[in-house]
Amino acid sequence: METIKDSIFQIDDSKVKETYANHDNYKVKFHEGENVQKDLCVLYFCSNELYYPNTSKAFETSILIKDKFEWQRNFLRIAHKHIFIRDIQKQWYIEGISKTNNTPEKLFKLLQELTKGFRVYAIGSSAGGFAAMQYGSLLKAEKVYAFNAQLNLNLIVKTTNAITNPLLFKYDNTERSKYFYIDNFIVPETDYFYFQSSKSPFDVSQYGGFNKKNEILRIPFKTSNHGFPFLRYNLIHVLNLDKKELIKLSKKEYHPFLFSVSIDGWFKTIKNVSSAVINKLKKKMIEKKARG
Protein backbone atom coordinates (compact mmCIF):
# COMPACT_ATOMS: atom_id res chain seq x y z
CA MET A 1 0.00 0.00 0.00
CA GLU A 2 1.48 3.32 -1.11
CA THR A 3 2.11 5.93 1.57
CA ILE A 4 -0.27 8.89 1.35
CA LYS A 5 1.40 12.27 1.60
CA ASP A 6 0.19 15.06 3.86
CA SER A 7 -2.34 17.70 2.84
CA ILE A 8 -4.31 16.20 -0.03
CA PHE A 9 -7.16 18.56 -0.82
CA GLN A 10 -9.98 16.02 -1.32
CA ILE A 11 -9.59 14.59 2.19
CA ASP A 12 -7.55 17.14 4.17
CA ASP A 13 -8.94 20.56 3.32
CA SER A 14 -10.72 22.06 6.35
CA LYS A 15 -13.87 22.90 4.36
CA VAL A 16 -14.09 19.40 2.90
CA LYS A 17 -13.59 17.85 6.34
CA GLU A 18 -16.23 20.08 7.93
CA THR A 19 -18.76 19.31 5.18
CA TYR A 20 -18.05 15.59 5.40
CA ALA A 21 -18.43 15.69 9.20
CA ASN A 22 -21.53 17.88 9.52
CA HIS A 23 -23.60 17.49 6.34
CA ASP A 24 -25.74 14.59 5.12
CA ASN A 25 -24.52 14.99 1.52
CA TYR A 26 -27.74 13.66 0.10
CA LYS A 27 -30.97 15.40 -0.85
CA VAL A 28 -34.50 14.02 -1.17
CA LYS A 29 -37.09 15.55 -3.48
CA PHE A 30 -40.58 14.54 -4.55
CA HIS A 31 -42.11 15.08 -7.96
CA GLU A 32 -45.82 15.17 -8.75
CA GLY A 33 -47.50 14.87 -12.13
CA GLU A 34 -50.10 13.08 -14.20
CA ASN A 35 -47.79 10.31 -15.38
CA VAL A 36 -45.72 9.98 -12.20
CA GLN A 37 -45.30 6.47 -10.83
CA LYS A 38 -45.88 6.85 -7.10
CA ASP A 39 -43.98 3.68 -6.25
CA LEU A 40 -40.80 4.60 -8.14
CA CYS A 41 -37.68 6.09 -6.51
CA VAL A 42 -34.57 7.09 -8.45
CA LEU A 43 -31.07 7.38 -6.98
CA TYR A 44 -28.69 9.84 -8.67
CA PHE A 45 -25.00 9.51 -7.82
CA CYS A 46 -22.65 12.45 -8.44
CA SER A 47 -19.43 11.97 -10.37
CA ASN A 48 -15.95 13.25 -9.53
CA GLU A 49 -16.75 16.37 -11.54
CA LEU A 50 -18.87 17.53 -8.64
CA TYR A 51 -16.36 20.35 -8.26
CA TYR A 52 -13.28 21.11 -10.29
CA PRO A 53 -10.40 21.83 -9.94
CA ASN A 54 -9.47 20.55 -6.48
CA THR A 55 -9.19 23.97 -4.89
CA SER A 56 -10.80 25.66 -1.93
CA LYS A 57 -12.44 28.24 -4.19
CA ALA A 58 -13.97 25.62 -6.50
CA PHE A 59 -15.22 23.58 -3.53
CA GLU A 60 -16.71 26.61 -1.81
CA THR A 61 -18.51 27.74 -4.97
CA SER A 62 -19.96 24.35 -5.94
CA ILE A 63 -20.65 22.82 -2.53
CA LEU A 64 -20.96 25.54 0.11
CA ILE A 65 -22.61 28.23 -2.00
CA LYS A 66 -24.53 26.33 -4.71
CA ASP A 67 -25.02 23.13 -2.66
CA LYS A 68 -24.46 21.25 -5.90
CA PHE A 69 -25.86 17.82 -6.65
CA GLU A 70 -25.62 16.51 -10.19
CA TRP A 71 -28.74 15.37 -12.07
CA GLN A 72 -31.18 17.87 -10.55
CA ARG A 73 -31.89 19.34 -13.99
CA ASN A 74 -32.08 15.96 -15.68
CA PHE A 75 -34.12 13.98 -13.19
CA LEU A 76 -36.41 11.22 -14.46
CA ARG A 77 -39.85 12.79 -14.41
CA ILE A 78 -41.83 9.57 -14.29
CA ALA A 79 -40.60 8.92 -10.74
CA HIS A 80 -42.15 10.25 -7.53
CA LYS A 81 -39.16 10.15 -5.17
CA HIS A 82 -35.68 11.36 -6.09
CA ILE A 83 -32.54 10.97 -4.00
CA PHE A 84 -29.41 12.90 -5.01
CA ILE A 85 -26.16 11.63 -3.48
CA ARG A 86 -22.64 13.08 -3.54
CA ASP A 87 -19.16 11.99 -2.48
CA ILE A 88 -17.38 15.26 -1.71
CA GLN A 89 -14.08 13.38 -1.27
CA LYS A 90 -14.42 12.27 -4.90
CA GLN A 91 -13.15 8.74 -4.15
CA TRP A 92 -15.84 6.44 -5.57
CA TYR A 93 -17.86 6.49 -2.33
CA ILE A 94 -15.27 4.22 -0.70
CA GLU A 95 -15.72 6.16 2.57
CA GLY A 96 -19.42 6.64 1.99
CA ILE A 97 -20.72 10.21 1.93
CA SER A 98 -20.36 11.58 5.48
CA LYS A 99 -19.03 10.99 8.95
CA THR A 100 -22.33 9.31 9.85
CA ASN A 101 -22.39 7.13 6.74
CA ASN A 102 -18.66 6.61 6.28
CA THR A 103 -18.50 3.07 4.88
CA PRO A 104 -20.11 1.32 1.91
CA GLU A 105 -22.09 -0.79 4.38
CA LYS A 106 -23.51 2.22 6.20
CA LEU A 107 -24.34 3.99 2.94
CA PHE A 108 -26.13 0.88 1.71
CA LYS A 109 -28.16 0.72 4.93
CA LEU A 110 -29.10 4.40 4.57
CA LEU A 111 -30.24 3.88 0.98
CA GLN A 112 -32.22 0.81 2.03
CA GLU A 113 -34.10 2.96 4.54
CA LEU A 114 -34.67 5.81 2.09
CA THR A 115 -35.99 3.52 -0.67
CA LYS A 116 -38.09 1.21 1.52
CA GLY A 117 -41.41 0.45 -0.16
CA PHE A 118 -40.29 1.79 -3.55
CA ARG A 119 -39.16 0.28 -6.81
CA VAL A 120 -35.65 1.59 -7.47
CA TYR A 121 -33.66 2.90 -10.42
CA ALA A 122 -30.03 4.05 -10.06
CA ILE A 123 -28.30 6.54 -12.35
CA GLY A 124 -24.80 8.00 -12.64
CA SER A 125 -21.88 8.83 -14.91
CA SER A 126 -18.19 8.01 -14.43
CA ALA A 127 -17.60 7.59 -10.66
CA GLY A 128 -21.31 8.18 -10.17
CA GLY A 129 -22.01 5.39 -12.64
CA PHE A 130 -19.71 3.13 -10.64
CA ALA A 131 -21.75 3.90 -7.51
CA ALA A 132 -25.03 3.46 -9.39
CA MET A 133 -23.98 -0.02 -10.48
CA GLN A 134 -22.69 -0.94 -7.03
CA TYR A 135 -25.56 0.34 -4.88
CA GLY A 136 -28.15 -0.41 -7.53
CA SER A 137 -26.96 -4.02 -7.34
CA LEU A 138 -26.99 -4.11 -3.54
CA LEU A 139 -30.53 -2.71 -3.55
CA LYS A 140 -31.57 -5.06 -6.37
CA ALA A 141 -32.77 -2.08 -8.36
CA GLU A 142 -34.97 -2.69 -11.38
CA LYS A 143 -32.73 -0.62 -13.63
CA VAL A 144 -29.27 0.91 -13.56
CA TYR A 145 -28.22 3.54 -16.08
CA ALA A 146 -24.44 3.90 -16.08
CA PHE A 147 -22.66 6.32 -18.41
CA ASN A 148 -18.97 5.48 -18.89
CA ALA A 149 -18.91 4.10 -15.39
CA GLN A 150 -15.68 2.77 -13.93
CA LEU A 151 -15.97 -0.98 -13.43
CA ASN A 152 -12.59 -1.94 -11.97
CA LEU A 153 -10.91 0.52 -9.60
CA ASN A 154 -7.82 -1.65 -9.41
CA LEU A 155 -6.95 -0.40 -12.90
CA ILE A 156 -7.05 3.16 -11.56
CA VAL A 157 -4.78 2.23 -8.67
CA LYS A 158 -2.29 0.84 -11.17
CA THR A 159 -2.21 4.00 -13.30
CA THR A 160 -2.54 6.86 -10.77
CA ASN A 161 -1.03 7.75 -7.40
CA ALA A 162 -1.94 8.33 -3.77
CA ILE A 163 -2.09 12.10 -4.20
CA THR A 164 -4.74 11.90 -6.90
CA ASN A 165 -6.73 9.05 -5.35
CA PRO A 166 -5.70 8.84 -1.69
CA LEU A 167 -8.52 6.66 -0.41
CA LEU A 168 -8.18 4.07 -3.15
CA PHE A 169 -4.57 3.63 -2.12
CA LYS A 170 -5.49 3.65 1.56
CA TYR A 171 -7.92 0.76 1.12
CA ASP A 172 -6.07 -1.15 -1.58
CA ASN A 173 -5.44 -4.75 -0.49
CA THR A 174 -7.74 -4.39 2.52
CA GLU A 175 -11.17 -5.88 3.23
CA ARG A 176 -12.76 -2.78 1.71
CA SER A 177 -11.03 -3.33 -1.63
CA LYS A 178 -13.76 -5.84 -2.51
CA TYR A 179 -15.78 -2.73 -3.36
CA PHE A 180 -13.27 -1.88 -6.10
CA TYR A 181 -14.78 -4.49 -8.43
CA ILE A 182 -18.27 -4.19 -9.87
CA ASP A 183 -18.00 -7.87 -10.85
CA ASN A 184 -18.58 -8.68 -7.18
CA PHE A 185 -22.03 -7.07 -7.13
CA ILE A 186 -23.84 -7.83 -10.39
CA VAL A 187 -27.22 -9.47 -9.71
CA PRO A 188 -29.76 -11.11 -12.07
CA GLU A 189 -32.65 -9.06 -10.67
CA THR A 190 -31.28 -5.83 -12.19
CA ASP A 191 -31.22 -4.60 -15.79
CA TYR A 192 -27.92 -2.79 -16.41
CA PHE A 193 -27.66 -0.29 -19.26
CA TYR A 194 -24.01 0.64 -19.77
CA PHE A 195 -23.42 3.56 -22.16
CA GLN A 196 -19.82 3.61 -23.41
CA SER A 197 -17.58 5.91 -25.43
CA SER A 198 -16.01 3.30 -27.70
CA LYS A 199 -13.13 5.61 -28.76
CA SER A 200 -12.05 6.47 -25.21
CA PRO A 201 -9.01 4.35 -24.22
CA PHE A 202 -9.82 4.84 -20.53
CA ASP A 203 -13.40 3.65 -20.84
CA VAL A 204 -12.49 0.80 -23.18
CA SER A 205 -9.89 -0.33 -20.63
CA GLN A 206 -12.43 -0.25 -17.81
CA TYR A 207 -14.87 -2.36 -19.80
CA GLY A 208 -12.03 -4.74 -20.69
CA GLY A 209 -11.29 -5.24 -16.99
CA PHE A 210 -14.86 -6.32 -16.30
CA ASN A 211 -15.61 -10.05 -16.28
CA LYS A 212 -19.41 -10.14 -16.46
CA LYS A 213 -19.96 -8.49 -19.83
CA ASN A 214 -22.77 -10.88 -20.72
CA GLU A 215 -24.80 -9.67 -17.75
CA ILE A 216 -25.03 -6.01 -18.77
CA LEU A 217 -26.24 -4.32 -21.95
CA ARG A 218 -23.46 -2.26 -23.54
CA ILE A 219 -24.66 0.65 -25.68
CA PRO A 220 -21.64 2.10 -27.55
CA PHE A 221 -21.18 5.50 -29.18
CA LYS A 222 -18.43 6.58 -31.57
CA THR A 223 -16.76 9.18 -29.38
CA SER A 224 -13.77 9.59 -27.09
CA ASN A 225 -15.68 11.87 -24.71
CA HIS A 226 -15.71 10.62 -21.15
CA GLY A 227 -18.84 11.11 -19.08
CA PHE A 228 -21.82 11.21 -21.40
CA PRO A 229 -21.12 9.51 -24.75
CA PHE A 230 -23.86 11.50 -26.49
CA LEU A 231 -25.01 15.12 -26.35
CA ARG A 232 -26.28 15.95 -22.88
CA TYR A 233 -29.58 17.40 -24.05
CA ASN A 234 -30.48 13.93 -25.43
CA LEU A 235 -30.27 12.48 -21.92
CA ILE A 236 -33.96 12.72 -21.06
CA HIS A 237 -34.84 11.02 -24.35
CA VAL A 238 -32.45 8.14 -23.57
CA LEU A 239 -33.71 7.71 -19.99
CA ASN A 240 -37.27 7.38 -21.26
CA LEU A 241 -36.49 4.58 -23.73
CA ASP A 242 -37.86 1.21 -22.70
CA LYS A 243 -35.80 -1.98 -22.54
CA LYS A 244 -36.69 -3.11 -26.06
CA GLU A 245 -35.68 0.28 -27.48
CA LEU A 246 -32.39 0.22 -25.58
CA ILE A 247 -31.62 -3.28 -26.84
CA LYS A 248 -32.30 -2.05 -30.37
CA LEU A 249 -30.05 0.97 -29.76
CA SER A 250 -27.23 -1.32 -28.61
CA LYS A 251 -27.16 -3.07 -32.00
CA LYS A 252 -25.78 0.01 -33.73
CA GLU A 253 -22.85 2.24 -32.84
CA TYR A 254 -23.95 5.84 -33.32
CA HIS A 255 -21.92 9.00 -33.66
CA PRO A 256 -23.30 11.39 -30.99
CA PHE A 257 -24.16 14.11 -33.51
CA LEU A 258 -25.99 11.76 -35.87
CA PHE A 259 -27.77 10.17 -32.92
CA SER A 260 -29.04 13.62 -31.97
CA VAL A 261 -30.11 14.31 -35.55
CA SER A 262 -32.10 11.06 -35.55
CA ILE A 263 -34.00 12.37 -32.52
CA ASP A 264 -34.31 16.13 -33.06
CA GLY A 265 -33.46 16.81 -36.69
CA TRP A 266 -30.63 18.93 -38.13
CA PHE A 267 -31.74 22.44 -37.14
CA LYS A 268 -32.37 21.74 -33.46
CA THR A 269 -29.21 19.63 -33.19
CA ILE A 270 -26.99 22.34 -34.66
CA LYS A 271 -28.60 24.92 -32.37
CA ASN A 272 -28.08 22.76 -29.30
CA VAL A 273 -24.48 21.88 -30.24
CA SER A 274 -23.66 25.57 -30.63
CA SER A 275 -25.15 26.26 -27.22
CA ALA A 276 -23.17 23.36 -25.70
CA VAL A 277 -19.89 24.71 -27.12
CA ILE A 278 -20.59 28.15 -25.63
CA ASN A 279 -21.43 26.62 -22.25
CA LYS A 280 -18.24 24.55 -22.33
CA LEU A 281 -16.17 27.67 -22.94
CA LYS A 282 -17.93 29.39 -20.04
CA LYS A 283 -17.21 26.39 -17.82
CA LYS A 284 -13.50 26.55 -18.69
CA MET A 285 -13.44 30.24 -17.77
CA ILE A 286 -15.08 29.50 -14.43
CA GLU A 287 -12.60 26.70 -13.75
CA LYS A 288 -9.72 29.01 -14.60
CA LYS A 289 -10.98 31.55 -12.07
CA ALA A 290 -11.40 28.78 -9.49
CA ARG A 291 -7.73 27.97 -9.78
CA GLY A 292 -7.06 31.45 -8.51
Side-chain angles (χ1 to χ4, degrees):
M1 183 166 56
E2 183 174 330
T3 302
I4 301 175
K5 298 181 180 179
D6 293 334
S7 190
I8 299 171
F9 181 84
Q10 303 96 298
I11 60 173
D12 293 322
D13 178 81
S14 60
K15 293 176 182 177
V16 175
K17 292 172 75 171
E18 189 279 330
T19 305
Y20 181 79
N22 299 315
H23 291 69
D24 292 332
N25 293 310
Y26 71 88
K27 181 182 293 186
V28 178
K29 290 186 175 182
F30 292 89
H31 178 62
E32 304 290 347
E34 184 178 346
N35 297 315
V36 167
Q37 299 175 26
K38 290 288 189 178
D39 64 340
L40 180 58
C41 176
V42 182
L43 305 176
Y44 308 86
F45 293 89
C46 292
S47 72
N48 288 349
E49 284 201 4
L50 180 62
Y51 59 89
Y52 185 82
N54 292 332
T55 64
S56 183
K57 187 174 182 179
F59 182 85
E60 183 175 351
T61 299
S62 292
I63 307 301
L64 302 183
I65 296 175
K66 295 182 178 179
D67 193 26
K68 180 179 176 181
F69 287 85
E70 294 175 348
W71 296 94
Q72 291 190 90
R73 293 182 181 179
N74 296 305
F75 68 93
L76 190 59
R77 285 159 176 78
I78 62 169
H80 177 52
K81 188 172 185 179
H82 304 266
I83 305 172
F84 303 90
I85 307 137
R86 67 189 181 194
D87 171 15
I88 61 168
Q89 297 185 118
K90 302 202 301 186
Q91 294 290 286
W92 290 268
Y93 298 79
I94 199 67
E95 280 192 350
I97 58 174
S98 66
K99 184 178 180 181
T100 302
N101 297 292
N102 62 354
T103 68
E105 292 84 0
K106 289 179 181 178
L107 178 54
F108 169 48
K109 185 177 180 180
L110 170 68
L111 296 177
Q112 273 187 311
E113 294 170 355
L114 291 172
T115 60
K116 187 175 181 180
F118 286 87
R119 296 157 46 226
V120 177
Y121 292 0
I123 301 176
S125 68
S126 192
F130 172 87
M133 293 190 74
Q134 188 168 90
Y135 291 98
S137 298
L138 289 167
L139 292 164
K140 294 181 171 57
E142 285 187 14
K143 296 180 180 179
V144 169
Y145 298 88
F147 302 89
N148 281 316
Q150 283 81 68
L151 299 168
N152 184 341
L153 299 186
N154 185 56
L155 298 179
I156 294 177
V157 172
K158 288 180 178 179
T159 57
T160 60
N161 55 60
I163 297 175
T164 306
N165 296 304
L167 298 185
L168 294 191
F169 280 82
K170 176 180 178 180
Y171 293 108
D172 188 26
N173 295 319
T174 70
E175 174 65 20
R176 202 174 299 194
S177 64
K178 68 184 179 183
Y179 290 99
F180 287 17
Y181 304 91
I182 292 299
D183 297 76
N184 293 336
F185 299 94
I186 297 296
V187 293
E189 295 89 342
T190 300
D191 286 330
Y192 300 91
F193 304 111
Y194 182 80
F195 300 83
Q196 184 200 48
S197 294
S198 64
K199 304 300 180 184
S200 166
F202 176 77
D203 295 306
V204 170
S205 173
Q206 282 290 317
Y207 184 71
F210 178 67
N211 296 317
K212 295 187 176 181
K213 297 179 179 65
N214 292 334
E215 298 182 43
I216 67 174
L217 181 67
R218 172 179 172 266
I219 305 171
F221 287 81
K222 294 179 182 178
T223 179
S224 61
N225 186 60
H226 180 63
F228 295 103
F230 47 78
L231 303 179
R232 192 180 291 259
Y233 63 82
N234 292 140
L235 185 58
I236 294 300
H237 170 83
V238 170
L239 291 177
N240 281 287
L241 295 175
D242 62 28
K243 184 176 181 179
K244 288 184 179 179
E245 290 170 318
L246 288 168
I247 291 173
K248 183 179 178 181
L249 183 60
S250 72
K251 304 298 182 183
K252 183 176 180 179
E253 191 169 352
Y254 278 93
H255 184 281
F257 183 83
L258 296 179
F259 177 66
S260 182
V261 169
S262 73
I263 299 167
D264 295 322
W266 288 95
F267 178 78
K268 188 174 180 180
T269 297
I270 292 171
K271 181 181 177 181
N272 286 329
V273 168
S274 299
S275 177
V277 170
I278 292 171
N279 289 335
K280 191 171 184 178
L281 291 173
K282 288 180 179 178
K283 182 181 177 181
K284 286 185 177 181
M285 292 176 65
I286 292 170
E287 290 173 354
K288 186 176 181 180
K289 290 181 180 178
R291 291 188 180 95

